[in-house]
Amino acid sequence: MRCTVFGTGYLGATHAACMAELGHDVVGVDVDPGKVAKLADGVVPFYEPGLEEVLQRNLAAGRLRFTTDYSDAAAHADVHFLGVGTPQKKGEYGADLKYVHAVVDTLAPMLERPAMIVGKSTVPVGTAAALGVRARERAKVDVEVAWNPEFLREGFAVQDTLRPDRLVLGLDHGRERSAWVQEHIREIYADLIAAEIPFLLTDLATAELVKVSANAFLATKISFINAVSEVCEATGADVTMLADALGYDARIGRRFLNAGLGFGGGCLPKDIRAFMARSGELGADHAVAFLREVDNINMRRRTKVVDMAARACGGSLLGANVAVLGAAFKPESDDVRDSPALNVAGMIQLHGAVVTVYDPKAVENSRRVFPTLNYATSVSEACDRADVVLVLTEWNEFTALTPTDLDPVVRSRSIIDGRNCLDSTAWRAAGWVYAGLGTP
């Protein structure tokens, strides 16, 4: 089928390339000419394992192209995926829908035949229905709006698009053409449905709530184990062993029960805040009041690590050399949006330390956010004459480190494991002062 994808950031570029991989004729649309030019040349403007190969393969096959021309896109297809960002509003918790509205306002008047706009972006509940009204007010033809939320994990985005654990489609069941929308979406995802990927058909509001509810649940699970880690620190218990024991309970599971520095990135933090804001608008803020503490626990982990670094340096960070290993919010990504690692590095610098950061993929993005930090090109360079080493993103390169790797370069053999990803026994046996989160 022919389809378009509006927005070529992390979500949109991945969706466009993967829809072409499924055999569809795809046009990716963006208002940023530089981004469009890069993608058209087969260059992904962010790091995502495996995506560049998919992009280049489908460009070469002629199934994928990119443009800034909305009229070209409007004429190309009847199915228009909406994959633009919905960032947190400045100074507020709510989601900023200006990019979503801009696409609808520009595209709708250009449509010359009945079409559908299928949302992928994470939006506050009620947005899809409002967009349907907005689109039909501006269009000369019939326009349907449906919602097909994404569930991508950075580092696994290609896999999660081509073999998701479920497909969710929200329809406006009050519209006569909802069956037409479902038929087209089923055709687009025919290969996935044939592979027995569960296909869940819902109303618009349910589809919108599925994604934000999933993120809120995961954030709650992460903050729960981090809250327990604070109790472990007060009692001498080991949160890692405790999580292992909890994980054997099939009702709980072990995934996302890793105590440490907490979550970040472009989704979980802003999505749970937008969920709280929208719930308040609906008069249901009491129902998600617990998410405020989830957010607070998560942010508290960052100041905890700063305090640990100060203790490791004798009580003050003023003039200390601090090595920070990791800047991306998670491994296999160059995304530094709301990154706990980079946030900690910045706070430590504000306390008077000389901070040197190394990350395998995220240095350039980090430099744009925190240009005053020092950046290294290797672990050994970052740790040169360090008074304390902080491991804040669990890249394989860091989890594989041994004391002998760092012994020749550091000034003090002190390490803070912000992700509880190192072998504490081995580091202590080698004469290092090791400190983890929630571990004795």
Side-chain angles (χ1 to χ4, degrees):
M1 284 189 67
R2 289 171 173 259
C3 59
T4 64
V5 179
F6 287 85
T8 59
Y10 181 82
L11 164 59
T14 302
H15 192 68
C18 288
M19 291 304 96
E21 184 77 355
L22 290 175
H24 304 299
D25 186 354
V26 183
V27 173
V29 190
D30 204 290
V31 296
D32 184 341
K35 193 183 297 183
V36 165
K38 276 190 174 182
L39 289 164
D41 286 339
V43 177
V44 176
F46 51 86
Y47 177 69
E48 177 59 39
L51 180 57
E52 196 151 271
E53 292 83 352
V54 175
L55 174 71
Q56 292 173 355
R57 181 161 58 244
N58 287 283
L59 286 169
R63 289 189 295 266
L64 178 63
R65 61 187 177 88
F66 295 90
T67 184
T68 59
D69 187 348
Y70 269 58
S71 60
D72 178 16
H76 175 76
D78 301 328
V79 181
H80 305 286
F81 286 103
L82 183 59
V84 295
T86 54
Q88 186 175 336
K89 291 179 181 177
K90 289 185 178 180
E92 300 181 37
Y93 270 12
D96 190 341
L97 298 178
K98 64 184 178 184
Y99 302 115
V100 172
H101 291 155
V103 171
V104 171
D105 293 350
T106 307
L107 174 65
M110 295 181 179
L111 297 172
E112 297 181 352
R113 58 186 184 275
M116 66 189 75
I117 297 172
V118 184
K120 300 294 295 180
S121 307
T122 305
V123 295
V125 62
T127 299
L131 285 179
V133 174
R134 191 180 186 110
R136 286 185 283 273
E137 287 175 345
R138 289 159 173 76
K140 302 185 292 283
V141 296
D142 190 22
V143 182
E144 303 298 328
V145 171
W147 222 258
N148 171 220
E150 56 85 15
F151 301 99
L152 305 186
R153 299 165 296 161
E154 294 195 29
F156 303 90
V158 172
Q159 171 189 324
D160 289 344
T161 305
L162 296 177
R163 282 297 179 268
D165 47 23
R166 78 283 205 193
L167 292 164
V168 176
L169 177 63
L171 297 175
D172 186 344
H173 294 301
R175 300 281 301 172
E176 291 182 3
R177 296 178 68 89
S178 63
W180 174 71
V181 176
Q182 182 185 170
E183 177 186 344
H184 276 71
I185 299 303
R186 283 185 177 274
E187 184 176 346
I188 285 173
Y189 291 130
D191 288 352
L192 306 187
I193 295 171
E196 300 186 341
I197 303 297
F199 185 90
L200 287 77
L201 195 63
T202 76
D203 55 82
L204 291 174
T206 301
E208 291 169 313
L209 281 169
V210 167
K211 173 61 187 294
V212 70
S213 298
N215 278 352
F217 184 84
L218 294 178
T220 302
K221 193 170 183 181
I222 295 167
S223 284
F224 167 80
I225 199 64
N226 278 331
V228 171
S229 76
E230 294 181 4
V231 179
C232 289
E233 289 161 5
T235 60
D238 188 326
V239 73
T240 301
M241 296 180 68
L242 183 150
D244 288 342
L246 288 177
Y248 284 108
D249 188 327
R251 299 168 300 174
I252 298 173
R254 184 62 176 83
R255 296 185 66 194
F256 291 92
L257 275 183
N258 294 316
L261 187 51
F263 58 83
C267 290
L268 258 63
K270 64 101 174 171
D271 285 354
I272 66 170
R273 293 165 191 159
F275 194 13
M276 286 188 278
R278 182 57 177 151
S279 298
E281 292 169 355
L282 295 169
D285 49 324
H286 58 281
V288 295
F290 70 95
L291 288 177
R292 289 192 180 276
E293 184 56 20
V294 166
D295 199 13
N296 289 338
I297 292 167
N298 188 58
M299 299 306 292
R300 199 159 64 227
R301 305 315 286 162
R302 304 181 186 190
T303 55
K304 168 73 175 178
V305 171
V306 175
D307 291 342
M308 292 170 68
R311 286 198 300 273
C313 295
S316 173
L317 287 164
L318 187 63
N321 280 343
V322 178
V324 172
L325 301 183
F329 87 97
K330 64 177 288 187
E332 299 303 326
S333 172
D334 64 354
D335 193 345
V336 297
R337 291 175 295 176
D338 207 352
S339 167
L342 200 56
N343 188 200
V344 167
M347 285 193 287
I348 288 175
Q349 184 189 50
L350 288 175
H351 281 75
V354 177
V355 182
T356 304
V357 178
Y358 168 67
D359 188 284
K361 296 293 180 180
V363 165
E364 290 309 310
N365 286 342
S366 302
R367 203 188 302 273
R368 283 191 282 270
V369 177
F370 275 106
T372 59
L373 294 171
N374 297 320
Y375 294 95
T377 59
S378 67
V379 169
S380 59
E381 182 185 347
C383 296
D384 185 38
R385 292 175 296 162
D387 295 303
V388 62
V389 177
L390 279 63
V391 178
L392 302 184
T393 308
E394 62 273 40
W395 287 94
N396 289 338
E397 181 179 353
F398 304 154
T399 61
L401 286 172
T402 65
T404 54
D405 295 323
L406 300 186
D407 280 338
V409 293
V410 297
R411 183 155 60 193
S412 299
R413 292 192 291 176
S414 178
I415 193 163
I416 295 173
D417 185 358
R419 295 296 180 180
N420 291 346
C421 58
L422 303 175
D423 183 345
S424 60
T425 302
W427 286 86
R428 285 172 175 149
W432 279 67
V433 177
Y434 170 94
L437 290 165
T439 59

